[in-house]
Amino acid sequence: MDRKAIDAAGRRLAQDIPWDSYADPEVIEAFRVANSWRERHLGAMRSMHLQLAHAVSRLQLDGVTASRLKRMPSIRRKLRRIRVPLTKIQDLGGCRVILPTIAEVHQFGAAIAGMDRHNVRKIDDYVGQPKADGYRSLHIKLDYSDPRNPQHEGLRLELQARSHLQHAWATAVEAIGLYIGENLKGGEGSAEWRRLLLLLSAEFAEHEQCETVPGTPAGPKRRDEIRHLERQLD
């Protein structure tokens, strides 16, 4: 598949498309190319999922694994937000491991980062350095490698490892965002909800003896603000 054509399709889909333009041949072709590129990651992602499940078993960890292809609306939002070519998006195919404790997250992350089968491109430690909104997880970005399946060679995948509490927080962000109809995950929408979620992330981080977002209030002051926001948001 021609990567120039893929990136051209990505640039088209990053633009606003009026409802009456979705039937235009140019738009239809852009979606066709982008979806084909997205679906090309499916085989590599499924294989990676099996490898992660095997690693969890080998390390004797009590983990749950999952995988997903990034949805097209999320792809389009990311193309608009970070202005990266479609072929350079790291997480079209993503795998996740959810583990009971932070210690197990670090143990698993070290094992995966040390493997030599795939090319580990970058590790983002959002456990040690949480994002400004309170998001905490370990992200491992890699280039997939499998000589037996050259069509998958070099495809970019993202692996995530997080604790039960971190997963509960991230799931709550998505669920609340859907319920109130705002993109809280993307840093948009209600300032009150985003503040409450930030403070709850700090509560979880303190419980797991991890770093909190710099400047977040601590202890009783934080909990008082959580109670205030809970009453305000009902």
Side-chain angles (χ1 to χ4, degrees):
M1 185 178 292
D2 181 23
R3 296 200 172 211
K4 288 184 178 179
I6 296 167
D7 287 336
R11 288 192 296 272
R12 182 67 185 93
L13 297 183
Q15 300 170 5
D16 290 332
I17 301 175
W19 282 108
D20 57 0
S21 298
Y22 274 84
D24 289 355
E26 177 195 4
V27 174
I28 292 172
E29 177 63 8
F31 274 107
R32 185 195 68 78
V33 170
N35 275 309
S36 294
W37 176 243
R38 170 183 177 270
E39 290 165 7
R40 184 174 168 183
H41 292 71
L42 184 59
M45 183 193 71
R46 285 175 171 169
S47 174
M48 195 73 234
H49 186 181
L50 291 174
Q51 292 173 48
L52 294 184
H54 176 73
V56 168
S57 176
R58 175 171 51 82
L59 294 168
Q60 298 183 320
L61 301 175
D62 185 20
V64 176
T65 60
S67 61
R68 64 98 182 96
L69 286 178
K70 199 172 191 69
R71 297 186 301 272
M72 185 55 68
S74 298
I75 294 172
R76 294 189 65 201
R77 282 196 297 270
K78 191 160 195 173
L79 287 168
R80 286 192 291 266
R81 189 176 76 251
I82 64 176
R83 302 293 180 180
V84 68
L86 180 54
T87 55
K88 300 295 185 184
I89 288 183
Q90 183 68 51
D91 60 343
L92 291 186
C95 298
R96 180 177 296 152
V97 179
I98 304 163
L99 297 153
T101 68
I102 289 294
E104 289 172 294
V105 169
H106 288 306
Q107 181 185 356
F108 179 82
I112 295 301
M115 64 186 176
D116 55 10
R117 175 174 176 179
H118 308 287
N119 173 40
V120 175
R121 178 185 295 274
K122 185 181 180 183
I123 298 176
D124 289 321
D125 183 4
Y126 298 123
V127 177
Q129 294 182 303
K131 288 188 176 184
D133 63 356
Y135 176 84
R136 298 185 301 127
S137 184
L138 184 67
H139 288 201
I140 301 174
K141 300 175 180 180
L142 57 81
D143 296 333
Y144 184 87
S145 179
D146 184 355
R148 297 167 301 177
N149 295 288
Q151 71 274 21
H152 298 153
E153 196 71 20
L155 290 178
R156 297 185 174 197
L157 299 176
E158 182 176 270
L159 317 182
Q160 298 178 3
R162 59 175 62 157
S163 70
H164 286 174
L165 273 179
Q166 290 168 347
H167 184 64
W169 183 90
T171 301
V173 172
E174 293 198 28
I176 294 166
L178 285 171
Y179 182 74
I180 65 176
E182 297 178 353
N183 183 24
L184 298 179
K185 184 177 178 181
E188 301 171 5
S190 166
E192 291 78 14
W193 271 112
R194 287 187 285 116
R195 179 66 177 176
L196 175 61
L197 289 162
L198 170 64
L199 296 173
L200 290 173
S201 170
E203 280 290 304
F204 291 171
E206 185 178 275
H207 176 77
E208 294 182 308
Q209 298 182 332
C210 293
E211 294 296 321
T212 61
V213 175
T216 308
K221 183 177 180 181
R222 181 176 64 229
R223 287 186 280 277
D224 285 345
E225 188 176 353
I226 288 173
R227 294 186 188 100
H228 169 74
L229 286 166
E230 193 281 330
R231 290 191 295 270
Q232 180 180 338
L233 293 166
D234 194 20

